[in-house]
Amino acid sequence: MVKEFIGKIIKFNDLEQGESNGRKWQKLEVVIATEDEYNPELCITAFGEKQVRSLSALDVGMVAGILCNVYSKEWKGRYYTHISGYHFTNQTNNPDKNKEVASGFVTSSADDNNPF
């Protein structure tokens, strides 16, 4: 399921890097605050060099538009939900997008299946 979340950036977690099967990887998590009444904070993960670089161009306090894949995976009988961001834009000076912050997200029609 693809969604666009709009929210104010309140925090970046530390960059994580590693190597798996001979391939280097990196991920960066950002926490945004939407105007939703319940559970307004979302933690969104940027995975991969291109996505991390795109997210790193934004700063705390900016209003961001983030296209995401939202999915759940089962592991040992439990389900875990992930929000994986792949396109990050600065919406701070975009009054039309700032109006959408109140709803928290905008539905997109694209469908993409990223690995866990």
Side-chain angles (χ1 to χ4, degrees), residues 85-105:
Y86 61 89
H87 184 73
F88 305 88
T89 58
N90 179 357
Q91 299 296 322
T92 302
N93 296 318
N94 185 344
D96 293 332
K97 284 288 185 179
N98 287 337
K99 290 177 188 173
E100 295 172 3
V101 171
S103 68
F105 65 87

Side-chain angles (χ1 to χ4, degrees), residues 75-86:
W75 188 67
K76 295 186 177 184
R78 295 195 58 182
Y79 282 85
Y80 298 87
T81 300
H82 300 274
I83 305 174
S84 180
Y86 61 89

Side-chain angles (χ1 to χ4, degrees), residues 2 14-15 17 21 26 31 35 44 60-61 74-75 80 83 104-105 107:
V2 175
D14 293 334
L15 177 68
Q17 301 181 70
N21 297 324
Q26 56 182 303
V31 179
E35 295 293 323
I44 299 171
V60 171
E74 183 270 336
W75 188 67
Y80 298 87
I83 305 174
F105 65 87
T107 303

Side-chain angles (χ1 to χ4, degrees), residues 9-105:
I9 297 173
I10 58 174
K11 177 183 177 181
F12 286 96
N13 289 337
D14 293 334
L15 177 68
E16 295 179 45
Q17 301 181 70
E19 190 171 323
S20 179
N21 297 324
R23 295 182 60 157
K24 292 183 179 184
W25 59 267
Q26 56 182 303
K27 77 175 187 176
L28 180 62
E29 294 175 331
V30 63
V31 179
I32 64 169
T34 67
E35 295 293 323
D36 290 344
E37 184 176 356
Y38 301 104
N39 303 314
E41 293 181 1
L42 294 173
C43 182
I44 299 171
T45 302
F47 189 85
E49 182 181 351
K50 179 181 174 184
Q51 289 77 10
V52 168
R53 185 174 40 248
S54 178
L55 176 56
S56 296
L58 304 177
D59 290 319
V60 171
M62 289 181 170
V63 175
I66 306 174
L67 288 176
C68 302
N69 290 313
V70 180
Y71 58 96
S72 296
K73 293 283 187 174
E74 183 270 336
W75 188 67
K76 295 186 177 184
R78 295 195 58 182
Y79 282 85
Y80 298 87
T81 300
H82 300 274
I83 305 174
S84 180
Y86 61 89
H87 184 73
F88 305 88
T89 58
N90 179 357
Q91 299 296 322
T92 302
N93 296 318
N94 185 344
D96 293 332
K97 284 288 185 179
N98 287 337
K99 290 177 188 173
E100 295 172 3
V101 171
S103 68
F105 65 87

